[in-house]
């Protein structure tokens, strides 16, 4: 009975941690991110396990990315990958691939950003993580738009918007619609831009963005 209870508690803890990570890292709160990392580190939970180490490295990678300390962020994500590519923790593996892709986006190395975002997308498709897929589509759209490959940019941004709408990922809807509108405006499609911005404003008024 005690073993069963402990297993349930571990599942609940893991679920709550995932939700907290989504809110903290997804909305770019570096101070809260550091508190979350410290809490996770202080739980003393299976500190010798590779799963624990890889998640901790992944969290630090995200934290330093939020601080724009890209070399340090890359170092931690690389440490995470050394473990993750062996232990098969696909959720965190996809997250570190995505994290490295974001680093290269931040450094304006768009070809590498695309490569790593595609790797993360492959993982998210395998495990059926729709929210993370929507994020990867968005990041790919962003990278392609910066390389003037506009057809690919529209393709991925529209996929991001459609998937975010389907799973009610409101922040993802906002980001995709806003970027699509920006891109339409940049290319001189004023009607398309106005339509896109109208969607964003309507979503904001309905309290759906976050």
């Amino acid at each position: 009975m005690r073993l069963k209870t402990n297993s349930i508690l571990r599942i609940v803890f893991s679920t709550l941690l995932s939700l907290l990570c989504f809110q903290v890292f997804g909305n770019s709160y570096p101070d809260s991110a550091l508190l979350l990392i410290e809490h996770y580190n202080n739980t003393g939970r299976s500190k010798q396990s590779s799963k624990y180490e890889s998640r901790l490295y992944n969290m630090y990678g995200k934290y330093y990315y939020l601080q724009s300390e890209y070399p340090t962020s890359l170092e931690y994500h690389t440490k995470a990958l050394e473990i993750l590519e062996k232990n098969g923790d696909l959720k965190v593996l996809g997250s570190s691939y995505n994290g490295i892709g974001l680093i290269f986006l931040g450094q304006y190395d768009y070809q590498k950003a695309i490569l790593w975002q595609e790797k993360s997308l492959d993982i998210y498709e395998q495990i059926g993580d729709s929210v993370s897929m929507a994020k990867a589509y968005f990041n790919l759209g962003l990278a392609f738009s910066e390389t003037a490959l506009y057809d690919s940019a529209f393709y991925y941004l529209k996929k991001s918007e459609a998937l975010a709408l389907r799973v009610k990922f409101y922040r993802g809807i906002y980001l995709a619609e806003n970027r699509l509108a920006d891109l339409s405006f940049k290319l001189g499609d004023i009607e398309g831009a106005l339509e896109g911005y109208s969607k964003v404003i309507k979503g904001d008024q309905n309290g759906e963005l976050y």
Side-chain angles (χ1 to χ4, degrees), residues 108-136:
Y108 312 110
D109 190 340
Y110 300 115
Q111 294 302 322
K112 286 184 180 178
I114 290 167
L115 173 67
W116 285 95
Q117 289 299 329
E118 287 176 339
K119 286 167 73 73
S120 76
L121 182 58
D122 287 343
I123 297 295
Y124 294 141
E125 288 175 342
Q126 285 183 49
I127 62 178
D129 185 341
S130 297
V131 169
S132 295
M133 285 169 61
K135 290 180 181 180

Side-chain angles (χ1 to χ4, degrees), residues 36-106:
L36 178 59
I37 292 168
E38 289 175 349
H39 175 74
Y40 184 67
N41 199 23
N42 290 333
T43 58
R45 215 172 47 88
S46 303
K47 285 197 174 183
Q48 300 304 315
S49 74
S50 60
K51 188 173 184 178
Y52 170 87
E53 283 187 292
S54 61
R55 288 188 174 186
L56 191 61
Y57 289 145
N58 175 268
M59 286 180 177
Y60 274 118
K62 291 178 178 179
Y63 168 72
Y64 284 109
Y65 168 77
L66 293 178
Q67 299 284 19
S68 298
E69 296 184 30
Y70 299 134
T72 306
S73 177
L74 182 59
E75 179 182 341
Y76 275 106
H77 278 304
T78 302
K79 285 183 178 180
L81 290 183
E82 290 173 359
I83 301 170
L84 291 164
E85 290 178 341
K86 296 176 183 177
N87 73 8
D89 190 345
L90 293 180
K91 173 75 174 178
V92 186
L93 177 62
S95 177
S96 274
Y97 284 158
N98 175 70
I100 293 174
L102 289 175
I103 291 167
F104 286 121
L105 268 176

Side-chain angles (χ1 to χ4, degrees), residues 83-193:
I83 301 170
L84 291 164
E85 290 178 341
K86 296 176 183 177
N87 73 8
D89 190 345
L90 293 180
K91 173 75 174 178
V92 186
L93 177 62
S95 177
S96 274
Y97 284 158
N98 175 70
I100 293 174
L102 289 175
I103 291 167
F104 286 121
L105 268 176
Q107 295 178 324
Y108 312 110
D109 190 340
Y110 300 115
Q111 294 302 322
K112 286 184 180 178
I114 290 167
L115 173 67
W116 285 95
Q117 289 299 329
E118 287 176 339
K119 286 167 73 73
S120 76
L121 182 58
D122 287 343
I123 297 295
Y124 294 141
E125 288 175 342
Q126 285 183 49
I127 62 178
D129 185 341
S130 297
V131 169
S132 295
M133 285 169 61
K135 290 180 181 180
Y137 288 143
F138 174 81
N139 292 333
L140 283 166
L142 186 61
F144 279 117
S145 69
E146 294 295 337
T147 56
L149 295 172
Y150 298 123
D151 287 344
S152 295
F154 275 113
Y155 172 77
Y156 281 109
L157 290 170
K158 287 178 179 178
K159 281 180 75 75
S160 178
E161 179 191 21
L163 185 53
L165 282 165
R166 182 164 65 81
V167 298
K168 295 182 171 59
F169 173 34
Y170 295 118
R171 179 172 172 79
I173 297 168
Y174 161 74
L175 289 172
E177 288 178 345
N178 193 64
R179 188 64 185 182
L180 281 165
D182 287 346
L183 196 53
S184 295
F185 183 79
K186 180 178 181 178
L187 297 178
D189 181 4
I190 305 303
E191 184 177 341

